[in-house]
Amino acid sequence: MGITTKHLLSKATFCMITSKRMNSYYTGKHASRYNRTWRTFLQKTLLATLSTIDVASLQQRASTRERPLRILDAACGTGLLLEQFTHLLPHAELYGIDESQAMLAQATQLLRDRPHVHLVQASLGGGETAGLPFALATFDLITCTNTWHYLKDPAATLAGLGRLLVSRGQVVIEDYVLRGFPFPRKAFERVITYYDPQHIRLYTLSEAQTLCRDVGFQVVLTKSFKIDLFCQGWVLGTLPG
C-alpha cells in the first residue's frame, strides 16, 4: 500500500493552509469559467510542459522499485495537468497544491474518480520546502506552470522545491512573457497588475535559466513556443545539482 497523504504532510498542516493573499480573480465565477476563458492558452502551455518531462526516465524508475512514482503539480489550478498525468503515468500518486480553494473545487470535480490524486490548499513561497506541507525527498517530478510571475522570490521557491525531490528528480517550470519583451515591459505589467494584483513580474527564458543555475539546478532542456500575438511561452526541464 502506498504512503498516505497524511504521512507526507508535515504535522500542523495536513488539512488546509489558508492564504491571506488570495486574489479574487481565482475565486467565484472567475474560477468556474477559468478553463473556458483560457482554453487555448492552457492547451498550448500544458502541452509544452508535458513535452519537456522525461517520461522514459520516470517509467524506468517506477519499474525498479516497489513504491509508485509521486508527482506534485505546484499551483495546479483546476487540475488539467494532473488529469493528463492520470493517463500518462496511470499508477503514479499525484499531488496538487493551489492557493485558491475555488480552483481546487474545480480540480476536485474534474478528478473525482481518480483515487490516487490528492489536493491540498497551500501557497508557494520560500523556506525549506517552498512553503509547502510535504516531507523532504518526497517527489520524483514537480511541475509548476503559469505561476512564476507571481513569486516574490523564485530562487527561494525553486531551492525549496528541490529539497522536496528524491535523488535525480525533475522540476519542470513553464511560464509566459510578452512577445518583443522587454520593450513594453513596464506598461504591460502595469496593465496586468491592474487586473491581477498578485502579478509581480515576468521572466524571460534566459532570466529563468540564470535563476535556476544560480540556485544550483542543472537545466537539461528548454523550449520557447508561440501562444498568441502578444505572448510567448517558455518551459525548462531541470535537475538539482
Side-chain angles (χ1 to χ4, degrees), residues 146-151 175-176 198-203:
N146 302 317
T147 302
W148 222 237
H149 54 281
Y150 289 132
L151 299 178
D175 211 347
Y176 77 96
Q198 275 186 297
H199 176 90
I200 295 176
R201 62 156 292 189
L202 297 172
Y203 292 84

Side-chain angles (χ1 to χ4, degrees), residues 15-224:
C15 293
M16 302 283 269
I17 296 177
T18 302
S19 170
K20 295 180 181 179
R21 299 186 299 108
M22 182 56 55
N23 181 357
S24 62
Y25 186 80
Y26 295 102
T27 62
K29 65 181 181 180
H30 296 293
S32 63
R33 298 172 182 172
Y34 185 82
N35 289 349
R36 295 194 301 273
T37 302
W38 298 102
R39 180 176 59 181
T40 300
F41 178 88
L42 291 169
Q43 287 174 343
K44 291 182 177 181
T45 57
L46 298 187
L47 180 62
T49 301
L50 290 168
S51 70
T52 307
I53 297 168
D54 187 349
V55 176
S57 140
L58 291 170
Q59 291 173 331
Q60 170 65 22
R61 178 172 299 187
S63 70
T64 58
R65 67 185 186 197
E66 293 184 3
R67 78 160 179 84
L69 296 170
R70 297 192 193 111
I71 297 172
L72 170 66
D73 187 17
C76 66
T78 58
L80 293 177
L81 186 56
L82 289 170
E83 200 275 334
Q84 291 294 312
F85 285 144
T86 65
H87 302 288
L88 186 65
L89 297 161
H91 301 295
E93 291 181 1
L94 304 177
Y95 295 80
I97 69 96
D98 201 89
E99 186 176 345
S100 167
Q101 187 175 5
M103 296 289 273
L104 287 176
Q106 299 294 314
T108 299
Q109 180 67 17
L110 176 66
L111 300 163
R112 62 189 181 278
D113 297 325
R114 311 299 170 90
H116 298 300
V117 179
H118 312 277
L119 300 173
V120 179
Q121 187 180 10
S123 301
L124 278 172
E128 187 177 33
T129 59
L132 302 183
F134 299 105
L136 299 177
T138 292
F139 298 104
D140 301 283
L141 167 67
I142 298 174
T143 55
C144 185
T145 63
N146 302 317
T147 302
W148 222 237
H149 54 281
Y150 289 132
L151 299 178
K152 290 184 177 179
D153 188 348
T157 298
L158 183 60
L161 292 178
R163 297 183 191 101
L164 291 176
L165 288 176
V166 300
S167 177
R168 301 299 292 173
Q170 306 174 45
V171 174
V172 175
I173 304 165
E174 180 276 330
D175 211 347
Y176 77 96
V177 71
L178 182 66
R179 299 185 73 189
F181 187 91
F183 173 69
R185 171 177 180 169
K186 291 184 179 179
F188 182 74
E189 296 213 38
R190 280 197 297 269
V191 172
I192 296 176
T193 304
Y194 178 79
Y195 290 101
D196 188 3
Q198 275 186 297
H199 176 90
I200 295 176
R201 62 156 292 189
L202 297 172
Y203 292 84
T204 65
L205 175 58
S206 176
E207 288 173 331
Q209 287 179 268
T210 298
L211 185 150
C212 289
R213 289 168 178 151
D214 287 347
V215 174
F217 274 66
Q218 176 187 0
V219 178
V220 295
L221 182 63
T222 66
K223 295 180 181 180
S224 295

